[in-house]
Amino acid sequence: AQSVTQLDSHVSVSEGTPVLLRCNYSSSYSPSLFWYVQHPNKGLQLLLKYTSAATLVKGINGFEAEFKKSETSFHLTKPSAHMSDAAEYFCVVSSKAAGNKLTFGGGTRVLVKP
Amino acid sequence: DGGITQSPKYLFRKEGQNVTLSCEQNLNHDAMYWYRQDPGQGLRLIYYSQIVNDFQKGDIAEGYSVSREKKESFPLTVTSAQKNPTAFYLCASSPRPGQGPPDTQYFGPGTRLTVL
């Protein structure tokens, strides 16, 4: 079984300040973890992906995430928020043993204030 | 350009009517997926197909049906048996199922279905 918990449903940051989106996962198997971003009424775009290689994963648009097995976490960060980062972000877990099915967190909506 | 297209972008349906949502991909991906998204929630898997002429139920298949007659196409029919069909529907595809770590799934732009 696998599950994902995104600890904040909403995050508000000022432009130019750091962003932290928290994600904890549960998986009986070696997981792959993803962060996707969704702008209003759009599909999902992949930000980054962890698949048992380097634990610090760099993605697009300046985002990165660190896989911490001991804490079962995969938090997403960005040093300096931009107005275009306002969107909803989903943490996702998958595993080969789970048939490669994706299990989504509930999402974190990010508001960026000027 | 390679990608996934979904049509229409917005769809309105009267209660009791079946409606079919289109999903096409030109990425030469083997696997395709349909998800449903409700406001403030993550995505839930409706159906998926790992190869042509084969598909499996996801977590919320009741009231939906699919077909996979061609590699590039995976249409979803929302039947009148679906009790609460108003939602945002997303189609996705991935290169190859079941080998190595899970492949990235690539998403289409979505279809918003409203039942009147």
Side-chain angles (χ1 to χ4, degrees):
Chain A
Q2 57 188 24
S3 65
V4 177
T5 301
Q6 292 183 240
L7 298 167
D8 306 290
S9 59
H10 293 81
V11 166
S12 180
V13 299
S14 296
E15 190 174 19
T17 65
V19 181
L20 169 65
L21 304 183
R22 299 182 294 165
C23 172
N24 286 112
Y25 71 91
S26 172
S27 177
S28 303
Y29 313 102
S30 296
S32 291
L33 292 156
F34 308 78
W35 276 99
Y36 283 88
V37 61
Q38 184 181 33
H39 289 91
N41 291 311
K42 302 289 187 184
L44 276 68
Q45 180 184 19
L46 179 71
L47 284 177
L48 48 80
K49 171 182 177 181
Y50 166 78
T51 56
S52 75
T55 57
L56 183 61
V57 182
K58 293 190 184 298
I60 62 171
N61 301 336
F63 285 95
E64 65 180 36
E66 186 171 8
F67 174 73
K68 292 187 176 180
K69 186 175 181 178
S70 61
E71 298 177 9
T72 61
S73 70
F74 190 57
H75 301 335
L76 181 71
T77 61
K78 182 173 180 176
S80 176
H82 190 271
M83 294 299 292
S84 61
D85 295 327
E88 188 149 23
Y89 293 78
F90 292 97
C91 182
V92 182
V93 65
S94 183
S95 70
K96 182 180 177 183
N100 293 341
K101 292 182 184 179
L102 301 186
T103 298
F104 285 77
T108 298
R109 186 167 296 279
V110 173
L111 172 67
V112 181
K113 297 177 288 185
Chain B
D1 288 335
I4 303 174
T5 57
Q6 291 185 243
S7 61
K9 187 173 176 64
Y10 297 95
L11 189 56
F12 297 89
R13 188 196 96 178
K14 293 182 180 178
E15 277 195 43
Q17 289 181 338
N18 292 357
V19 63
T20 298
L21 283 58
S22 167
C23 177
E24 304 276 333
Q25 55 98 359
N26 61 5
L27 301 168
N28 200 32
H29 286 173
D30 288 312
M32 296 186 75
Y33 310 81
W34 273 106
Y35 294 90
R36 171 185 171 132
Q37 185 178 26
D38 293 286
Q41 298 186 31
L43 279 64
R44 294 181 290 167
L45 181 64
I46 304 172
Y47 267 98
Y48 64 104
S49 167
Q50 296 184 333
I51 196 169
V52 175
N53 291 322
D54 187 43
F55 49 83
Q56 287 80 40
K57 293 181 179 180
D59 300 320
I60 55 164
E62 184 176 352
Y64 299 97
S65 65
V66 294
S67 62
R68 187 86 188 277
E69 297 177 1
K70 297 186 295 182
K71 186 176 184 178
E72 59 270 23
S73 178
F74 191 42
L76 172 75
T77 297
V78 184
T79 75
S80 56
Q82 168 50 233
K83 290 183 172 54
N84 186 18
T86 294
F88 191 49
Y89 290 87
L90 288 154
C91 178
S93 69
S94 65
R96 65 188 187 284
Q99 300 171 18
D103 282 310
T104 298
Q105 291 187 19
Y106 298 89
F107 286 81
T111 292
R112 185 165 298 280
L113 173 64
T114 302
V115 174
L116 304 173

